[in-house]
Amino acid sequence: QVQLVESGGGLVQAGGSLRLSCAASGRTFSSYYMAWFRQAPGEERDFVAGISRDDGSTYYTDSVKGRFTISRDNAKNTTYLQMSSLKPEDTAVYYCAASNRLRASIRREYDYWGQGTQVTVSS
């Protein structure tokens, strides 16, 4: 079992930056594939970025490539999402997720979820 707690969301103007954090507790953090998803009102919860548990390989959905960076610090049991050049269409609740798989990109492949943190980008 692992518990995930996100922080760092807020209101930012278009073009601005935010860094989200996801603190994990419970079983060994380094054994999980970690990811960020987001869900806008009336929309599905979609994959944003993922990072492997061993070699740090990262994966991004096309709409955030070059603007968002996912990272992890296994010593601090924390995953981060650095978001830059934010756009109004990035507005959503952002969720941290952990998977027991080597790699996972769809919602049903994740075993644990945080409660979410709201990101609002004003135009």
Side-chain angles (χ1 to χ4, degrees):
Q1 191 82 347
V2 63
Q3 293 78 42
L4 304 173
V5 179
E6 302 97 333
S7 61
L11 174 64
V12 64
Q13 289 189 329
S17 299
L18 281 175
R19 188 176 82 156
L20 306 183
S21 299
C22 172
S25 60
R27 287 185 57 191
T28 306
F29 173 76
S30 61
S31 67
Y32 292 98
Y33 184 90
M34 299 300 298
W36 289 92
F37 282 70
R38 65 186 179 186
Q39 187 168 17
E43 303 289 333
E44 296 290 320
R45 189 175 298 185
D46 294 325
F47 176 86
V48 175
I51 186 166
S52 66
R53 60 191 187 188
D54 44 17
D55 65 1
S57 297
T58 57
Y59 305 91
Y60 299 92
T61 191
D62 286 346
S63 62
V64 307
K65 286 180 180 176
R67 300 189 299 122
F68 291 11
T69 302
I70 188 172
S71 61
R72 65 189 297 163
D73 185 336
N74 288 341
K76 295 183 177 180
N77 286 1
T78 302
T79 300
Y80 304 96
L81 185 68
Q82 177 67 48
M83 304 184 295
S84 302
S85 301
L86 283 161
K87 304 175 181 180
E89 51 264 43
D90 294 318
T91 295
V93 177
Y94 283 70
Y95 296 90
C96 177
S99 173
N100 287 300
R101 298 171 180 257
L102 288 176
R103 181 180 171 183
S105 59
I106 59 175
R107 185 174 177 177
R108 62 177 174 83
E109 295 177 330
Y110 285 82
D111 304 286
Y112 304 102
W113 293 86
Q115 83 289 349
T117 185
Q118 177 71 46
V119 172
T120 303
V121 185
S122 63
S123 57

Coordinates of all heavy atoms in Angstrom, one line a residue, residues 67-113:
R67 N 7.3 21.6 -22.6 CA 6.8 22.5 -21.6 C 6.8 22.0 -20.2 O 7.0 22.7 -19.2 CB 5.4 23.0 -22.0 CG 5.2 23.7 -23.3 CD 3.9 24.3 -23.5 NE 2.8 23.3 -23.5 CZ 1.8 23.3 -22.6 NH1 1.7 24.3 -21.7 NH2 0.8 22.4 -22.6
F68 N 6.5 20.7 -20.1 CA 6.4 20.0 -18.8 C 7.6 19.1 -18.6 O 8.1 18.5 -19.6 CB 5.2 19.2 -18.6 CG 3.9 20.0 -18.5 CD1 3.9 21.4 -18.8 CD2 2.7 19.4 -18.2 CE1 2.7 22.1 -18.7 CE2 1.5 20.1 -18.1 CZ 1.5 21.4 -18.4
T69 N 8.1 18.9 -17.4 CA 9.1 18.0 -17.1 C 8.8 17.2 -15.8 O 8.5 17.8 -14.8 CB 10.5 18.7 -16.8 OG1 10.8 19.5 -18.0 CG2 11.6 17.7 -16.5
I70 N 8.8 15.9 -15.9 CA 8.5 15.0 -14.8 C 9.9 14.6 -14.2 O 10.8 14.3 -15.0 CB 7.6 13.8 -15.1 CG1 7.3 13.1 -13.9 CG2 8.3 12.9 -16.2 CD1 6.2 12.0 -14.1
S71 N 10.0 14.5 -12.9 CA 11.2 14.0 -12.3 C 10.8 13.3 -11.0 O 9.7 13.4 -10.5 CB 12.2 15.1 -12.0 OG 11.6 16.1 -11.1
R72 N 11.8 12.6 -10.4 CA 11.5 11.9 -9.1 C 12.8 12.0 -8.3 O 13.9 11.9 -8.8 CB 11.1 10.5 -9.3 CG 12.1 9.6 -10.0 CD 11.4 8.2 -10.4 NE 11.0 7.5 -9.2 CZ 10.1 6.5 -9.3 NH1 9.6 6.1 -10.5 NH2 9.7 5.8 -8.2
D73 N 12.6 12.0 -7.0 CA 13.7 11.9 -6.0 C 13.4 10.7 -5.1 O 12.6 10.9 -4.2 CB 13.8 13.2 -5.3 CG 15.0 13.3 -4.4 OD1 15.5 12.2 -3.9 OD2 15.5 14.4 -4.0
N74 N 14.0 9.6 -5.4 CA 13.7 8.4 -4.6 C 14.1 8.5 -3.1 O 13.5 7.9 -2.3 CB 14.3 7.2 -5.2 CG 13.6 6.8 -6.5 OD1 12.5 7.2 -6.8 ND2 14.3 6.0 -7.4
A75 N 15.1 9.3 -2.9 CA 15.6 9.5 -1.5 C 14.5 10.3 -0.7 O 14.4 10.1 0.5 CB 16.9 10.3 -1.5
K76 N 13.7 11.2 -1.4 CA 12.7 12.0 -0.7 C 11.3 11.4 -0.9 O 10.3 12.0 -0.5 CB 12.8 13.4 -1.2 CG 14.0 14.1 -0.8 CD 14.0 15.6 -1.3 CE 15.3 16.3 -0.9 NZ 15.2 17.7 -1.3
N77 N 11.2 10.3 -1.6 CA 9.9 9.7 -1.9 C 8.9 10.7 -2.6 O 7.8 10.7 -2.2 CB 9.3 9.1 -0.6 CG 9.9 7.8 -0.2 OD1 10.9 7.3 -0.8 ND2 9.4 7.3 0.9
T78 N 9.5 11.4 -3.5 CA 8.7 12.5 -4.1 C 8.8 12.5 -5.7 O 9.9 12.3 -6.2 CB 9.1 13.8 -3.6 OG1 8.9 13.8 -2.1 CG2 8.2 15.0 -4.1
T79 N 7.7 12.8 -6.3 CA 7.7 13.0 -7.8 C 7.3 14.4 -8.0 O 6.4 14.9 -7.3 CB 6.7 12.0 -8.4 OG1 7.1 10.7 -8.2 CG2 6.6 12.2 -9.9
Y80 N 7.8 15.0 -9.1 CA 7.6 16.4 -9.4 C 7.1 16.5 -10.8 O 7.4 15.7 -11.7 CB 8.8 17.2 -9.2 CG 9.5 17.2 -7.9 CD1 10.6 16.3 -7.7 CD2 9.1 18.0 -6.8 CE1 11.2 16.2 -6.4 CE2 9.7 17.9 -5.6 CZ 10.7 17.0 -5.4 OH 11.3 16.9 -4.2
L81 N 6.3 17.6 -11.0 CA 5.9 18.0 -12.4 C 6.2 19.5 -12.5 O 5.4 20.3 -12.0 CB 4.5 17.6 -12.7 CG 4.1 17.9 -14.2 CD1 4.8 16.9 -15.1 CD2 2.6 17.8 -14.3
Q82 N 7.2 19.8 -13.3 CA 7.5 21.2 -13.5 C 6.8 21.6 -14.8 O 7.0 21.0 -15.8 CB 9.0 21.4 -13.7 CG 9.4 22.8 -14.1 CD 9.2 23.8 -12.9 OE1 9.6 23.5 -11.8 NE2 8.5 24.9 -13.2
M83 N 5.9 22.6 -14.7 CA 5.1 23.1 -15.8 C 5.5 24.5 -16.1 O 5.4 25.4 -15.3 CB 3.6 23.0 -15.4 CG 3.2 21.6 -14.9 SD 1.4 21.5 -14.6 CE 1.3 22.6 -13.2
S84 N 5.8 24.7 -17.4 CA 6.2 26.0 -17.9 C 5.4 26.4 -19.1 O 4.7 25.5 -19.7 CB 7.7 26.0 -18.3 OG 8.5 25.7 -17.1
S85 N 5.4 27.7 -19.5 CA 4.6 28.1 -20.6 C 3.2 27.6 -20.6 O 2.6 27.1 -21.6 CB 5.3 27.7 -21.9 OG 6.6 28.1 -22.0
L86 N 2.6 27.8 -19.4 CA 1.3 27.2 -19.2 C 0.2 28.0 -20.1 O 0.3 29.2 -20.4 CB 0.9 27.4 -17.7 CG 1.5 26.3 -16.8 CD1 1.5 26.7 -15.4 CD2 0.8 25.0 -17.0
K87 N -0.8 27.2 -20.5 CA -1.8 27.6 -21.3 C -3.2 27.5 -20.6 O -3.3 26.6 -19.8 CB -1.8 26.9 -22.7 CG -0.5 26.9 -23.4 CD -0.6 26.0 -24.6 CE 0.7 26.0 -25.4 NZ 0.7 25.1 -26.6
P88 N -4.2 28.2 -21.0 CA -5.5 28.0 -20.4 C -6.0 26.6 -20.5 O -6.7 26.1 -19.6 CB -6.4 29.0 -21.2 CG -5.5 30.1 -21.5 CD -4.2 29.4 -21.9
E89 N -5.7 25.9 -21.6 CA -6.1 24.5 -21.8 C -5.4 23.5 -20.9 O -5.8 22.4 -20.9 CB -6.0 24.1 -23.3 CG -4.6 24.3 -23.9 CD -4.5 25.7 -24.6 OE1 -5.0 26.7 -24.2 OE2 -3.9 25.6 -25.7
D90 N -4.4 24.0 -20.1 CA -3.8 23.1 -19.1 C -4.6 23.1 -17.8 O -4.3 22.4 -16.9 CB -2.4 23.6 -18.8 CG -1.4 23.5 -20.0 OD1 -1.5 22.4 -20.7 OD2 -0.6 24.4 -20.2
T91 N -5.6 24.0 -17.8 CA -6.5 24.0 -16.5 C -7.1 22.7 -16.3 O -7.8 22.1 -17.2 CB -7.5 25.1 -16.7 OG1 -6.9 26.4 -16.7 CG2 -8.5 25.1 -15.5
A92 N -6.9 22.1 -15.1 CA -7.5 20.8 -14.8 C -7.1 20.5 -13.3 O -6.3 21.2 -12.7 CB -6.9 19.7 -15.7
V93 N -7.7 19.4 -12.8 CA -7.2 18.8 -11.6 C -6.1 17.8 -12.0 O -6.3 17.0 -12.8 CB -8.3 18.1 -10.8 CG1 -7.7 17.4 -9.6 CG2 -9.4 19.1 -10.4
Y94 N -4.9 18.0 -11.3 CA -3.8 17.1 -11.6 C -3.7 16.0 -10.5 O -3.7 16.4 -9.3 CB -2.5 17.9 -11.7 CG -2.4 18.7 -13.0 CD1 -3.3 19.8 -13.3 CD2 -1.5 18.3 -14.0 CE1 -3.2 20.4 -14.5 CE2 -1.5 19.0 -15.2 CZ -2.3 20.0 -15.5 OH -2.3 20.7 -16.7
Y95 N -3.5 14.8 -11.0 CA -3.4 13.7 -10.1 C -2.1 13.0 -10.2 O -1.6 12.7 -11.4 CB -4.5 12.6 -10.4 CG -5.9 13.1 -10.2 CD1 -6.6 13.8 -11.2 CD2 -6.5 13.0 -8.9 CE1 -7.9 14.2 -11.0 CE2 -7.8 13.4 -8.7 CZ -8.5 14.1 -9.7 OH -9.8 14.5 -9.5
C96 N -1.5 12.6 -9.1 CA -0.3 11.7 -9.1 C -0.8 10.3 -9.0 O -1.8 10.0 -8.3 CB 0.5 12.1 -7.9 SG 1.9 11.1 -7.6
A97 N -0.1 9.4 -9.7 CA -0.5 8.0 -9.7 C 0.8 7.1 -9.7 O 1.8 7.5 -10.2 CB -1.3 7.7 -10.9
A98 N 0.6 5.9 -9.1 CA 1.7 4.9 -9.0 C 1.3 3.6 -9.5 O 0.1 3.2 -9.3 CB 2.1 4.8 -7.5
S99 N 2.2 3.0 -10.3 CA 1.8 1.7 -10.9 C 2.9 0.6 -10.5 O 4.1 1.0 -10.5 CB 1.8 1.8 -12.4 OG 1.6 0.5 -13.0
N100 N 2.5 -0.6 -10.3 CA 3.4 -1.7 -10.1 C 4.1 -2.2 -11.4 O 5.0 -3.0 -11.4 CB 2.7 -2.9 -9.4 CG 2.4 -2.6 -8.0 OD1 3.3 -2.4 -7.2 ND2 1.1 -2.6 -7.6
R101 N 3.6 -1.7 -12.5 CA 4.1 -2.2 -13.8 C 5.4 -1.5 -14.1 O 5.7 -0.4 -13.6 CB 3.1 -1.8 -14.9 CG 1.8 -2.6 -14.8 CD 0.8 -2.1 -15.8 NE -0.5 -2.8 -15.7 CZ -0.9 -3.7 -16.5 NH1 -0.1 -4.0 -17.5 NH2 -2.1 -4.3 -16.3
L102 N 6.2 -2.0 -15.1 CA 7.4 -1.4 -15.5 C 7.1 -0.1 -16.2 O 7.9 0.9 -16.1 CB 8.2 -2.3 -16.4 CG 8.9 -3.5 -15.7 CD1 9.5 -4.4 -16.8 CD2 9.9 -3.0 -14.7
R103 N 6.0 0.0 -16.9 CA 5.6 1.2 -17.6 C 4.1 1.2 -17.7 O 3.5 0.1 -17.9 CB 6.2 1.3 -19.0 CG 5.8 2.6 -19.7 CD 6.5 2.7 -21.1 NE 6.0 3.8 -21.9 CZ 6.3 4.1 -23.1 NH1 7.2 3.3 -23.7 NH2 5.8 5.1 -23.8
A104 N 3.4 2.3 -17.6 CA 2.0 2.4 -17.6 C 1.6 3.7 -18.2 O 2.1 4.7 -17.8 CB 1.4 2.1 -16.3
S105 N 0.6 3.7 -19.1 CA 0.1 5.0 -19.7 C -1.4 5.2 -19.7 O -1.8 6.2 -20.1 CB 0.7 5.1 -21.1 OG 0.2 4.0 -21.9
I106 N -2.1 4.1 -19.2 CA -3.6 4.3 -19.2 C -4.0 4.1 -17.7 O -3.4 3.5 -16.9 CB -4.3 3.4 -20.1 CG1 -4.0 1.9 -19.7 CG2 -3.9 3.6 -21.5 CD1 -4.8 0.9 -20.6
R107 N -5.2 4.7 -17.5 CA -5.7 4.9 -16.1 C -5.8 3.5 -15.4 O -5.4 3.4 -14.2 CB -7.0 5.6 -16.1 CG -7.6 5.9 -14.8 CD -8.9 6.7 -14.9 NE -9.5 7.0 -13.6 CZ -10.5 7.7 -13.5 NH1 -11.1 8.3 -14.5 NH2 -11.0 7.9 -12.3
R108 N -6.3 2.5 -16.0 CA -6.5 1.2 -15.3 C -5.3 0.5 -15.0 O -5.3 -0.5 -14.2 CB -7.4 0.3 -16.2 CG -6.9 -0.1 -17.5 CD -7.8 -1.0 -18.2 NE -7.4 -1.4 -19.6 CZ -6.5 -2.3 -19.9 NH1 -6.0 -3.0 -18.9 NH2 -6.2 -2.5 -21.1
E109 N -4.1 1.0 -15.5 CA -2.8 0.3 -15.2 C -2.2 0.8 -13.9 O -1.2 0.4 -13.5 CB -1.8 0.5 -16.3 CG -2.3 -0.2 -17.6 CD -1.3 0.0 -18.7 OE1 -0.7 1.0 -18.8 OE2 -1.2 -0.9 -19.6
Y110 N -2.9 1.8 -13.2 CA -2.3 2.4 -12.0 C -3.1 1.9 -10.8 O -4.3 1.7 -10.8 CB -2.4 3.9 -12.1 CG -1.4 4.5 -13.0 CD1 -1.6 4.5 -14.4 CD2 -0.1 4.9 -12.6 CE1 -0.6 4.9 -15.3 CE2 0.9 5.3 -13.4 CZ 0.6 5.3 -14.8 OH 1.6 5.7 -15.6
D111 N -2.3 1.7 -9.8 CA -2.8 1.0 -8.6 C -3.1 2.0 -7.4 O -4.0 1.7 -6.6 CB -1.7 0.0 -8.0 CG -1.3 -1.0 -9.1 OD1 -2.1 -1.9 -9.4 OD2 -0.2 -0.9 -9.7
Y112 N -2.5 3.1 -7.4 CA -2.7 4.1 -6.3 C -2.8 5.5 -6.9 O -2.1 5.9 -7.9 CB -1.5 4.1 -5.3 CG -1.3 2.7 -4.8 CD1 -0.3 1.9 -5.2 CD2 -2.2 2.2 -3.8 CE1 -0.1 0.6 -4.7 CE2 -2.0 0.9 -3.3 CZ -0.9 0.1 -3.7 OH -0.8 -1.1 -3.2
W113 N -3.6 6.3 -6.3 CA -3.9 7.7 -6.7 C -3.9 8.7 -5.6 O -4.3 8.3 -4.5 CB -5.3 7.8 -7.4 CG -5.4 7.0 -8.7 CD1 -5.7 5.7 -8.8 CD2 -5.1 7.5 -10.0 NE1 -5.6 5.3 -10.1 CE2 -5.3 6.4 -10.9 CE3 -4.8 8.7 -10.5 CZ2 -5.2 6.5 -12.3 CZ3 -4.7 8.9 -11.9 CH2 -4.9 7.8 -12.7

